Amino acid sequence: MSEIDRLSERLKTALDRIEAAAMTLPESTEPPATGPTDADIALLKGQLEDERTTNAQLIERVKALKDRQENQVAQLEQSLRISKTAEAERNQLHQKMRGTIEQLRDQVARLTEANRAMVGDAHLVNTSMMVELEALRAARLADAAEVDDLITELEPLIEEAHGA
């Protein structure tokens, strides 16, 4: 029975502490709030609308950046195609120039041999002149192609400078 007395004493002490703690609590006449007020709801709706507006603006910015990037990529691809075409043309002109220069060397060697033998050959002179003219034409075409490439590369920079 001593254990029942001891438990009874502990229970009485606990009830006394609860009663003392309850006395220190302020008495409130208002019922406890069970949910958000109308002002809270209006505030939250306003914040939600602000976030939606901000989100829509960000989506538009991302779309504009993506469009700008796609345009730049397309321009770069077109520039690359033009450069490759120009390079192929230059390579053809260089090959033609090399062939013409080889012909010119052959003609110069023949003329040199004819001059050593003291034999003037009008046909060799004419052929040499034609080969030399062809070499000059090929060099001129190569120079023109190179200038065209430079102009193609400089045009976007000039447009940027005028636009800025």
Side-chain angles (χ1 to χ4, degrees):
M1 189 105 156
S2 68
E3 189 163 327
I4 291 177
D5 289 336
R6 191 172 55 92
L7 289 175
S8 175
E9 189 62 34
R10 284 182 62 193
L11 187 58
K12 184 179 176 206
T13 306
L15 287 174
D16 289 341
R17 276 191 279 161
I18 291 172
E19 186 179 349
M23 293 296 213
T24 61
L25 290 176
E27 289 190 30
S28 175
T29 58
E30 294 180 26
T34 58
T37 64
D38 289 340
D40 291 339
I41 292 172
L43 177 67
L44 290 173
K45 283 183 179 179
Q47 289 175 346
L48 178 62
E49 189 59 36
D50 290 345
E51 289 299 320
R52 284 182 178 157
T53 303
T54 303
N55 192 27
Q57 290 171 348
L58 289 174
I59 289 171
E60 287 300 316
R61 286 181 189 168
V62 167
K63 184 179 177 184
L65 287 173
K66 183 179 177 186
D67 290 345
R68 188 176 345 146
Q69 183 180 15
E70 287 174 357
N71 287 338
Q72 287 176 343
V73 168
Q75 288 174 351
L76 289 173
E77 287 173 347
Q78 181 181 5
S79 176
L80 180 63
R81 282 192 300 273
I82 290 170
S83 294
K84 284 184 177 181
T85 303
E87 183 181 357
E89 290 173 1
R90 265 195 322 273
N91 286 340
Q92 286 177 338
L93 288 172
H94 284 246
Q95 290 297 331
K96 185 176 181 180
M97 242 173 65
R98 286 184 187 118
T100 305
I101 288 172
E102 190 61 38
Q103 288 177 350
L104 188 57
R105 284 184 184 144
D106 289 344
Q107 288 299 321
V108 167
R110 287 184 197 153
L111 276 175
T112 303
E113 286 298 318
N115 283 337
R116 281 189 193 143
M118 299 274 191
V119 179
D121 189 357
H123 178 69
L124 278 177
V125 172
N126 285 340
T127 306
S128 296
M129 293 292 235
M130 288 172 38
V131 170
E132 187 175 351
L133 282 173
E134 186 61 31
L136 289 172
R137 284 186 191 118
R140 188 180 139 286
L141 287 173
D143 289 344
E146 194 170 332
V147 167
D148 286 344
D149 290 344
L150 288 173
I151 289 172
T152 301
E153 289 178 18
L154 290 175
E155 281 177 342
L157 298 173
I158 292 170
E159 288 175 10
E160 261 184 49
H162 286 300

